[in-house]
Amino acid sequence: MARRRTTRVLALLPALALATAAAAGCAESTTAGGGTADGGVAVIEAGFLTTCTHMDYKPFQFHDQGKIVGFDVDLVDAIAKDMGLQQKIVDTPFEGIQSGEDLNTRRCDVAAAAMSITPAREENFDFSDPYFDATQALLVKKGQPIRSLGDLRGKKLGVQLSTTGETYANDNKDANGFEVVQFEDLPLSVTAVQTGQVDAAINDNSVLGDFVKNNPEVEITTEFTTGDQYGIGMATDNTALKDRVNAALKKLKDTGEYDKIYEKWFGKKPE
């Protein structure tokens, strides 16, 4: 996932965004006295399920005409509604999410950032049940003869800092003889492919697939089966919240609401 050095706090109601400034890079709590969801689960601010995420990672969370929108945004909106709450979004550097600092210091209740469940992250905080399957993909300029990591020998591969794509690239660079080039966020890494700064970029297949739709000069030439699954993060041992989020996720899937959200953003129902 992406990272940026400026922190923004946005309170997102389904159709109305409220903005509040926050200090860059801080992990200060945004609590306003605390409250409870339906069923008595504690949340850090009365009436809200506060969500840490990091923009822009289209189509999961991104800015559009002054609003924060996306698949993760709609999904957590629905979870919050099921809990009798409204979602409030905190746009924060990914380092604070991945390290667990934002969750374990109660800066937010949950973290939803198209974030793969990994053993390293599970050491820092707890995850919900998986809610999305992903894998890694390779983006190149159209027509370039790069269809595998082996084709990148002597070339540059762009990665987004602290993502599973970066891990995959580093794990395979010595065997395939390419240079890994870090970028702070998704837009910088895909722009680097367009401008020739790097020969290819690796990231989750869904976000690169969305980018290709509006940028015909690039293409995805291969995908790597990595078995990535996204989960919603919560503070370590916050079992009550974890159980409540998992119950809401199950209800959304059982009622077909999850499929509607998925189809809205990906043009098809999940397989």
Side-chain angles (χ1 to χ4, degrees):
M1 277 296 304
R3 49 244 46 216
R4 190 162 43 214
R5 301 306 177 194
T6 301
T7 302
R8 285 174 292 177
V9 180
L10 300 179
L12 183 70
L13 309 185
L16 175 65
L18 307 174
T20 305
C26 293
E28 296 174 356
S29 171
T30 59
T31 58
T36 56
D38 289 351
V41 176
V43 291
I44 62 173
E45 184 173 347
F48 294 99
L49 182 67
T50 305
T51 304
C52 279
T53 191
H54 185 74
M55 262 67 78
D56 282 310
Y57 204 69
K58 188 183 179 184
F60 292 91
Q61 48 272 326
F62 61 101
H63 295 92
D64 183 32
Q65 299 181 357
K67 295 181 180 179
I68 297 174
V69 298
F71 176 82
D72 280 357
V73 175
D74 283 355
L75 183 65
V76 180
D77 268 346
I79 291 171
K81 183 179 180 181
D82 187 71
M83 297 173 67
L85 304 170
Q86 291 180 309
Q87 181 180 191
K88 174 188 241 183
I89 292 180
V90 179
D91 181 11
T92 183
F94 193 68
E95 288 90 341
I97 296 175
Q98 181 171 257
S99 69
E101 182 180 9
D102 288 333
L103 293 165
N104 294 322
T105 60
R106 291 174 53 79
R107 187 168 190 223
C108 47
D109 297 302
V110 299
M115 183 165 51
S116 297
I117 301 170
T118 68
R121 290 170 180 163
E122 286 181 308
E123 291 181 0
N124 299 329
F125 53 89
D126 291 342
F127 278 101
S128 70
D129 292 337
Y131 69 88
F132 193 92
D133 294 331
T135 191
Q136 298 300 310
L138 197 66
L139 182 80
V140 305
K141 272 188 176 178
K142 189 168 286 185
Q144 290 297 307
I146 301 173
R147 300 193 172 277
S148 69
L149 294 181
D151 292 334
L152 283 166
R153 183 167 297 280
K155 301 182 184 298
K156 295 180 179 179
L157 175 61
V159 301
Q160 188 177 350
L161 187 64
S162 296
T163 60
T164 50
E166 181 183 25
T167 300
Y168 191 82
N170 283 327
D171 287 347
N172 289 280
K173 67 178 181 181
D174 290 340
N176 293 282
F178 56 77
E179 177 186 352
V180 175
V181 181
Q182 289 182 329
F183 295 93
E184 286 193 353
D185 56 29
L186 173 70
L188 288 174
S189 66
V190 294
T191 299
V193 175
Q194 292 175 306
T195 60
Q197 185 178 350
V198 296
D199 299 285
I202 189 171
N203 212 310
D204 290 7
N205 57 341
S206 295
V207 292
L208 293 185
D210 185 87
F211 183 75
V212 167
K213 290 178 184 176
N214 298 312
N215 295 277
E217 73 279 13
V218 295
E219 63 179 336
I220 293 172
T221 55
T222 191
E223 294 188 2
F224 310 100
T225 303
T226 56
D228 284 31
Q229 289 187 304
Y230 297 166
I232 297 171
M234 285 155 283
T236 302
D237 295 330
N238 192 345
T239 305
L241 180 59
K242 180 178 178 179
D243 290 346
R244 189 64 183 84
V245 168
N246 282 336
L249 269 176
K250 183 178 186 304
K251 183 186 292 185
L252 292 171
K253 290 186 176 181
D254 289 346
T255 61
E257 184 64 24
Y258 175 92
D259 287 2
K260 291 179 181 177
I261 295 171
Y262 191 104
E263 190 169 15
K264 172 183 175 182
W265 291 104
F266 300 103
K268 61 180 181 180
K269 292 184 178 180
E271 297 177 355

